[in-house]
Amino acid sequence: MGSKKVVKKLNKKNIHLRLVKKEKQKEKKEQLEQKIRFGRVKRILILSAILIFLLVALATGYIYIVDNYTITTIYVEGNIHYTNEEIIAMVMDGKYTDNSLFLSWKYRDKGIDDIPFVQTMDVIVEAKDTVRIKVYEKAIAGYVAYLGRYIYFDKDGIVVETSEESTPGIPQVTGLTFSHVILHEPLPVENQEVFEDILNITQLLEKYSLPVDKIYFSPDYQVTLIFGEARVAMGGSDDIDEKIMGLQYMLPSLEGKKGTLDMREYTEDTKMISFEPD
């Protein structure tokens, strides 16, 4: 009988120990879960604080950039075919292009080269509020009218552009005959050397600021310059430099007149000219 009582007492003690152990395990588990929850809350709070800080920093940076990098001054140089306003509209097309930082990033290490009549354009940010646009137009010697369009060619007679509009400052060349026009190929005229004469004439006219409207070539390539309703017969390409240099002093007297100024026999020594009114 005594031995049975001892066994029962031992069993009760073991049960109590197991209960105590389970309670401690439960308490540890709750403490661990509490630490995990606390850690999660702490991480969320830290991440939220970092996010708020970043948002505030971004907002502050955005406001600073908008207030301090807005473009107010734009210089445009080298353009003939397009006006300053047209060039600015091409460069500053799109969102945020009135901001010098964005514009600097947009055109970093590259120009703009997909515009008719323009070889390329460089966009230079000179200051936070100042931009300079350098336009490099295609080297155009003149243009001819063909099938309702204006065909622009370079010094070698290569067709570089076609347009429905004429460009002030670029002379129209008349008298040349050709049967077709292909972009980026030479105008198919009989005498390709005529383009050297055209380039020379246009450069001289530009040098002496003579605003010619048309350059006419006769079938035997005699040159006539047309200024409004006044014509200037220059003859062949020989001594054309001296003739155009002398023309700069005679042109003002032709203003408002209709007729032909004959400079075919003009030289620096003889200065032989005559005027025949219409």
Side-chain angles (χ1 to χ4, degrees), residues 57-249:
L58 287 173
T60 303
Y62 175 79
I63 294 171
Y64 176 81
I65 290 172
V66 169
D67 289 344
N68 292 274
Y69 289 86
T70 299
I71 298 170
T72 58
T73 304
I74 303 174
Y75 299 105
V76 182
E77 58 186 45
N79 52 312
I80 297 176
H81 185 84
Y82 296 104
T83 64
N84 289 355
E85 290 74 19
E86 288 173 327
I87 293 295
I88 291 171
M90 294 174 192
V91 171
M92 304 184 70
D93 180 38
K95 293 182 178 180
Y96 311 117
T97 49
D98 61 344
N99 183 274
S100 60
L101 280 181
F102 178 83
L103 207 65
S104 176
W105 172 81
K106 182 177 181 180
Y107 296 114
R108 181 181 57 186
D109 300 327
K110 68 176 182 178
I112 306 171
D113 53 8
D114 57 350
I115 299 172
F117 296 98
V118 174
Q119 192 72 33
T120 187
M121 287 194 294
D122 291 337
V123 181
I124 304 167
V125 177
E126 296 188 336
K128 293 188 297 184
D129 59 351
T130 304
V131 169
R132 184 177 299 275
I133 304 171
K134 290 187 176 182
V135 183
Y136 301 91
E137 294 195 349
K138 293 178 179 177
I140 296 175
Y143 70 89
V144 294
Y146 182 73
L147 298 179
R149 296 185 67 85
Y150 298 105
I151 313 301
Y152 293 85
F153 56 87
D154 65 10
K155 61 182 179 63
D156 299 314
I158 306 294
V159 177
V160 295
E161 294 291 348
T162 67
S163 176
E164 295 181 352
E165 298 180 357
S166 61
T167 301
I170 299 177
Q172 180 180 1
V173 178
T174 61
L176 301 180
T177 58
F178 44 89
S179 59
H180 64 275
V181 170
I182 300 176
L183 192 62
H184 306 311
E185 291 191 10
L187 278 173
V189 299
E190 183 179 350
N191 180 12
Q192 288 290 321
E193 293 180 359
V194 70
F195 296 112
E196 295 181 10
D197 294 335
I198 293 172
L199 178 63
N200 185 39
I201 291 170
T202 55
Q203 288 178 337
L204 288 168
L205 292 170
E206 183 178 356
K207 177 180 178 180
Y208 296 111
S209 302
L210 302 178
V212 70
D213 295 316
K214 296 180 181 180
I215 303 172
Y216 169 73
F217 284 89
S218 67
D220 59 348
Y221 296 98
Q222 298 293 295
V223 180
T224 299
L225 304 180
I226 301 173
F227 300 86
E229 296 183 290
R231 299 176 298 276
V232 182
M234 307 296 286
S237 59
D238 296 337
D239 301 321
I240 196 75
D241 303 47
E242 294 179 2
K243 293 175 182 178
I244 292 179
M245 183 173 63
L247 179 60
Q248 66 177 318
Y249 304 108

Side-chain angles (χ1 to χ4, degrees), residues 13-48:
K13 186 175 181 182
N14 289 338
I15 292 171
H16 177 73
L17 289 173
R18 283 196 296 270
L19 290 174
V20 171
K21 187 176 181 181
K22 286 182 178 179
E23 288 179 358
K24 287 183 178 180
Q25 288 176 345
K26 183 178 181 181
E27 184 179 353
K28 288 182 178 180
K29 184 178 180 181
E30 289 177 352
Q31 290 176 350
L32 180 61
E33 289 176 350
Q34 186 176 1
K35 287 182 179 180
I36 292 172
R37 286 195 299 270
F38 177 77
R40 288 176 179 172
V41 172
K42 185 177 179 180
R43 284 196 298 272
I44 291 172
L45 291 175
I46 292 173
L47 290 173
S48 299

